[in-house]
Amino acid sequence: MRVLVTGGAGFIGSHVVEALAARGHEPVAYDVRLDPGADVRDPEAVARALSGVDAVCHQAAMVGLGTGIADAPDYVSHNDVGTAVLLAAMAEAGVRRLVLAGSMVVYGEGRYDCARHGRVRPGPRSVEDLDAGRFEPRCPRCGAFLTPGLVTEDAPVDPRNVYAATKVAQEHLAAAWARDTGGAAVSLRYHNVYGPRMPRDTPYAGVASFFRSALARGEAPTVYEDGAQRRDFVHVRDVAAANAVALEADAAGGVLTAYNTGSGEPHTVGELAAELAAAHGGPAPRVTGAYRLGDVRHVTADSGRLRAGLGWRAEVRFVDGVREFACAE
């Protein structure tokens, strides 16, 4: 297949390009870093890029959480208007296969269970609890601390920042495109992706990148809260492989199918910091107890649907991937 990869020069997109080429496809990278005119918000440029294309892998996005509602115009412009322009051009060009870079941020907090009340959805954590070092979410009915579990794709979305809201909107737009055109749309809801080419020292870098940058400066990684926040750290090469598998699969037309895309092995933020520090030979992490209002405590994936439906599974072990990342340029 000839596949247009938007954001194809970026952290994840560049690995997707390599994965597609290795499997015999013809990836076409579309990215403002390669060509200032390659903006997904430009209808004419997108229409030209879609010429002769069989499928689209949409990675281009403004990432990060945003610092507040003042960021909304930029995020909506890049993520949602850009996606709308792309989908309209695909409909016109007759391109009927889409894989979208989704995100686990659409869930807000992950899955939680109360010993008395079963599955519940916690509200925001209180400043009183956070100031006292009580970081676990509470049951909204009895106030007891909750036990985290794995979130599945049928969990309700609960976007808690501007970026998350735009990722939900992208999925709704893709679903509308699929219904209107009969196209096949897949959203891969990435969990915490890390690995080579991850951005450094920008507001959009992930926690793994912040930890590595601190170590490169000879500083201890700074860990918020108590370091016990659970995440699913998935290697970028595994994510790229998931994109290739999703593009090749016999997907149902007229609907959008969402797949959690994680390693399936939750680890804490503290574990990540400790593994990176050990691999780098740097100072041990500094657990501060500090917090940021709005941060989620735990969100980890059940990626069983992706494994069962498309035969994909993560291949890079956490320890191996972190060691490689610690030494990557």
Side-chain angles (χ1 to χ4, degrees):
M1 284 187 292
R2 182 176 171 86
V3 182
L4 184 71
V5 183
T6 68
F11 166 44
I12 297 175
S14 63
H15 286 275
V16 171
V17 166
E18 291 177 358
L20 290 171
R23 297 168 76 103
H25 299 293
E26 183 185 354
V28 179
Y30 184 84
D31 197 303
V32 291
R33 283 161 287 205
L34 301 174
D35 176 1
D39 190 326
V40 290
R41 297 169 294 177
D42 183 335
E44 293 183 359
V46 172
R48 289 193 298 270
L50 286 169
S51 178
V53 162
D54 302 301
V56 172
C57 188
H58 186 30
Q59 305 293 316
M62 185 174 180
V63 298
L65 303 182
T67 57
I69 199 65
D71 292 331
D74 280 344
Y75 276 85
V76 170
S77 175
H78 285 87
N79 296 356
D80 298 337
V81 174
T83 298
V85 169
L86 174 65
L87 293 170
M90 289 174 64
E92 179 68 21
V95 180
R96 298 291 183 263
R97 183 174 290 268
L98 170 71
V99 173
L100 172 69
S103 175
M104 57 85 181
V105 296
V106 301
Y107 297 119
E109 286 281 2
R111 168 187 158 181
Y112 290 93
D113 293 294
C114 172
R116 290 178 58 191
H117 298 107
R119 186 76 48 83
V120 297
R121 289 190 65 77
R125 295 177 292 172
S126 72
V127 171
E128 180 183 5
D129 273 344
L130 293 170
D131 283 342
R134 298 187 292 264
F135 299 117
E136 297 300 329
R138 293 179 181 270
C139 176
R141 298 175 62 184
C142 68
F145 291 113
L146 299 172
T147 301
L150 299 180
V151 64
T152 57
E153 293 88 350
D154 57 0
V157 297
D158 183 19
R160 297 194 175 191
N161 53 60
V162 167
Y163 172 64
T166 66
K167 299 308 286 185
V168 173
Q170 281 186 309
E171 288 195 355
H172 288 319
L173 288 166
W177 166 84
R179 286 191 295 270
D180 188 62
T181 65
V186 167
S187 177
L188 298 176
R189 291 176 175 171
Y190 302 158
H191 279 248
N192 292 72
V193 186
Y194 74 98
R197 302 174 211 154
M198 193 173 191
R200 289 176 182 254
D201 302 322
T202 79
Y204 314 114
V207 66
S209 185
F210 287 131
F211 289 163
R212 186 179 65 170
S213 293
L215 289 163
R217 296 190 299 267
E219 301 171 2
T222 299
V223 179
Y224 279 61
E225 301 186 14
D226 58 358
Q229 309 94 304
R230 287 160 48 97
R231 298 290 188 268
D232 188 321
F233 299 101
V234 59
H235 197 277
V236 66
R237 287 196 298 271
D238 285 329
V239 167
N243 276 271
V245 168
L247 283 165
E248 294 167 349
D250 292 330
V255 298
L256 177 138
T257 305
Y259 294 100
N260 287 334
T261 308
S263 70
E265 296 181 0
H267 292 274
T268 68
V269 171
E271 285 179 285
L272 174 67
E275 287 288 351
L276 277 171
H280 196 277
R286 183 170 62 91
V287 180
T288 66
Y291 63 86
R292 292 173 294 201
L293 284 174
D295 277 3
V296 299
R297 177 63 173 173
H298 306 293
V299 55
T300 52
D302 181 343
S303 298
R305 176 186 289 181
L306 184 56
R307 291 193 298 269
L310 302 185
W312 170 93
R313 65 178 56 249
E315 300 290 341
V316 181
R317 295 174 59 245
F318 176 74
V319 171
D320 296 335
V322 169
R323 287 175 181 167
E324 177 198 20
F325 179 62
C327 303
E329 295 296 327

